[in-house]
């Protein structure tokens, strides 16, 4: 019976991952399919004008950005394997958790939503935590991506990444904030459940699958931390809670 339950749990986890993968790859794959044809049409038009050359450069930039996006999606799909192979170690909050995610999401958020990312270097640079870098990068990437997707009237606004030490618990709190759709108080815990999305997100008809926060909290709890909704609005703030390195 125990072995059967393990197989059922593994199958359920695989189905959840497949759902996430199918949802998230639609837009990048569509762009990858269409962009080469657009570039070929521009090249067939004869001598390139400066405007045509600029369009090709932008299209090639889109391919690079969406390639990075797909790398993130694949990492989310591989969460089960990464959790099994996790290696807890000490790492810099700024240098090994925040900046790698900042470097691969900054241009995507700018092009997709007109958003910038504001990193509070002074509150992050001196702290080290214990965890698995690949998994913590996945969680932060998911939070930043959600912040971009759910920011209201996004153009010209910023997603904020900051942090603070909780001296009482000896845990570091890394927070992502945005001017996002509010989360109702009754949904404070439900949004971390599988297949659950907030009422405001559903009403706004923003595409989503209800898997990102579920997977992210599962990762954080496995790493002896947590993922919490610190503020449900003005701004919306989600916080990764991580053990401080001794």
């Amino acid at each position: 019976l125990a072995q059967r339950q393990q197989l059922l749990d593994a199958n359920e986890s695989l189905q959840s991952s497949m759902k996430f993968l199918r949802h998230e790859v639609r837009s990048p794959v569509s762009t990858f399919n269409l962009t080469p044809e657009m570039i070929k049409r521009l090249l067939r038009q004869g001598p390139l004008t400066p405007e045509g050359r600029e369009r090709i450069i932008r299209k090639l930039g889109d391919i690079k950005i969406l390639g990075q996006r797909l790398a993130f999606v694949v990492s989310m799909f591989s969460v089960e394997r990464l959790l099994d192979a996790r290696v807890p170690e000490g790492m810099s909050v700024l240098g090994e958790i925040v900046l790698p995610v900042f470097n691969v999401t900054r241009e995507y958020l700018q092009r997709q939503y007109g958003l910038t990312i504001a990193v509070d270097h002074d509150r992050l640079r001196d702290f080290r935590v214990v965890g698995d870098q690949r998994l913590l990068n996945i969680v932060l990437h998911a939070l930043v991506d959600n912040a971009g997707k759910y920011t209201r009237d996004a153009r010209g606004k910023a997603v904020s990444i900051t942090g603070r030490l909780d001296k009482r618990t000896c845990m570091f709190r890394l927070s992502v904030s945005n001017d996002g759709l509010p989360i109702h108080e009754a949904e404070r815990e439900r949004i971390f459940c599988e297949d659950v999305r907030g009422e405001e997100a559903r009403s706004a008809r923003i595409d989503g699958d209800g898997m990102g926060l579920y997977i992210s909290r599962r990762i954080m709890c496995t790493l002896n931390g947590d993922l919490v909704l610190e503020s449900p609005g003005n701004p919306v703030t989600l916080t990764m809670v991580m053990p401080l390195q001794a």
Side-chain angles (χ1 to χ4, degrees), residues 55-75:
R55 285 185 66 190
I56 289 176
I57 291 171
R58 283 200 304 272
K59 291 298 179 186
L60 292 172
D62 289 344
I63 291 175
K64 174 188 172 186
I65 291 168
L66 289 171
Q68 294 169 338
R69 171 77 181 165
L70 281 176
F72 160 63
V73 170
V74 169
S75 70

Side-chain angles (χ1 to χ4, degrees), residues 79-180:
V79 153
E80 295 301 325
R81 179 178 58 79
L82 293 174
L83 282 172
D84 288 340
R86 65 188 181 276
V87 181
E89 57 187 353
M91 70 195 71
S92 161
V93 173
L94 180 61
E96 295 172 84
I97 301 174
V98 174
L99 290 184
V101 173
F102 172 80
N103 289 335
V104 300
T105 56
R106 173 182 53 182
E107 197 170 356
Y108 173 77
L109 288 190
Q110 180 62 49
R111 291 201 187 194
Q112 188 77 3
Y113 307 111
L115 276 167
T116 58
I117 304 177
V119 176
D120 191 341
H121 289 72
D122 291 339
R123 290 179 176 266
L124 300 173
R125 67 163 53 94
D126 295 330
F127 292 98
R128 296 181 64 83
V129 296
V130 176
D132 182 287
Q133 184 184 3
R134 294 170 302 174
L135 290 167
L136 292 172
N137 286 159
I138 287 171
V139 174
L140 182 59
H141 197 150
L143 297 186
V144 171
D145 187 65
N146 267 4
K149 183 162 62 174
Y150 294 115
T151 295
R152 298 173 292 191
D153 303 319
R155 191 156 299 280
K157 293 183 178 177
V159 172
S160 169
I161 302 177
T162 187
R164 64 182 176 86
L165 172 63
D166 186 335
K167 293 182 180 179
R168 183 179 61 83
T169 60
C170 289
M171 304 288 272
F172 190 80
R173 302 176 73 89
L174 179 64
S175 298
V176 177
S177 301
N178 69 308
D179 179 21

